[in-house]
Amino acid sequence: MTALRNLIVDEIRRSGPISVARYMELCLLHPVHGYYTTRDPFGTAGDFITAPEISQMFGELLGLCLAQAWLDQGQPKPFTLAELGPGRGTLMSDLLRAIRIVPGMSDAVRLHLVEASPHLREMQRAKLENVVHLGDVSELPDGPLYLIANEFFDALPIQQFQRGPNGWAERLVGLDGAGLAFGLGPPMSIDLPGNEGDVIERCPAAAAIVNEIASRIARDGGVALIIDYGGWNGRGDTFQVVEAHQTVNPFDNPGGADLTAHVDFAPLAAAADAAGCSFGYTTQGHLLNALGIGARAAKLAAAGDRGAGSAARRLTDSDEMGELFKVLAIWPTDAPAPAGFTARRAQTKTESNETDA
Ligand code: SAH
């Protein structure tokens, strides 16, 4: 029995079943007992490992992609370099080292990190200089915005709707005796086809964040690279709870395990399009290959890094992270596409082809 479980049970007793979104929010970000609030979950000894923790090449290549976009857009000075959910700060530290080779760029950086966890903010401050922490993208300063987010959107709270015998209803977390259990709310008038048992997911927070970022990029220039696991259009129930690299029951250890959902990139691209930006969408494997991970791995290997080749394969192979992880790029319509991307149009049916660049 964790303290957080007791708080959640009390909340449900007081005011009824809670949404999956509320459950995620409490488990991940409760100010005292939340998963991210209290720990550093990354790495082999932690619950999961992320791309920047696998290899320095990840942050370096993405940094060079941002640098090319910065050069293409006339080297605006100063500019905001932002990251959403920087974790240990590893990606940003690798990125900042890589862009030092671009004359004038590092000096123009105003670094802003959007991070909810006080514990991780401290780790980021220890690793990076001149950091401004923000709680929310709406607090970003005006001006050109070069932004990166790796495995941030999968942690945003989702709503789930399930088709029951009487139509769609929201999937809720309620009580089954003394324990937590899934149930369904009252039937809703959602006009969508589906069979009984089907689940759809929505992440209103994600589209709102992309709308905010893309509006700024359309107005002031810049680029955003959003990397996460997921796909184009929803695929049913993807809510997942992971502890020590294993999928576990979502109610076993509230606040002690990581809760995520696949990111549906189609509504995020639609939000970027509606805000007046161009966008591109490709796989992590395609992008890193296009940015030259092969050559970078060979160089590191020649310098004595014996793990570089296998790290590159882990990041790019289709049966490792290469296909599951996707990248959405957002840029102003009057600027060239960032390296590795071609502009796509919103709401085209053929865009379900995920290997397309
Ligand atoms: N980008 C890092 C960490 C990914 S984990 C990496 O690739 O290793 C998710 C990160 O997002 C954590 O830093 C977590 O504290 C932060 N986070 C999650 N939800 C957030 C929210 N709603 N607002 C701000 N930060 C959030």
Side-chain angles (χ1 to χ4, degrees), residues 226-233 263-270 281 326 328:
I226 295 170
I227 307 114
D228 226 307
Y229 76 108
W232 195 271
N233 290 324
V263 173
D264 182 359
F265 285 91
L268 305 189
Y281 174 70
K326 311 296 192 306
L328 179 70

Side-chain angles (χ1 to χ4, degrees), residues 25 28-29 35-37 39 41-42 48-53 58 83-91 114-118 120-121 124 134-136 148-157 205 209 258:
E25 201 183 317
L28 292 176
L29 296 174
Y35 180 73
Y36 284 119
T37 325
R39 74 196 72 214
F42 312 106
F48 59 94
I49 186 156
T50 56
E53 303 299 334
F58 188 75
E83 182 172 1
L84 312 184
R88 286 174 167 171
T90 309
L91 192 167
V114 175
E115 175 58 67
S117 158
L120 292 174
R121 280 186 178 198
Q124 292 153 16
L134 309 174
D136 194 87
I148 193 142
N150 184 59
E151 291 211 46
F152 170 79
F153 282 83
D154 66 49
L156 296 176
I209 290 170
D258 187 39

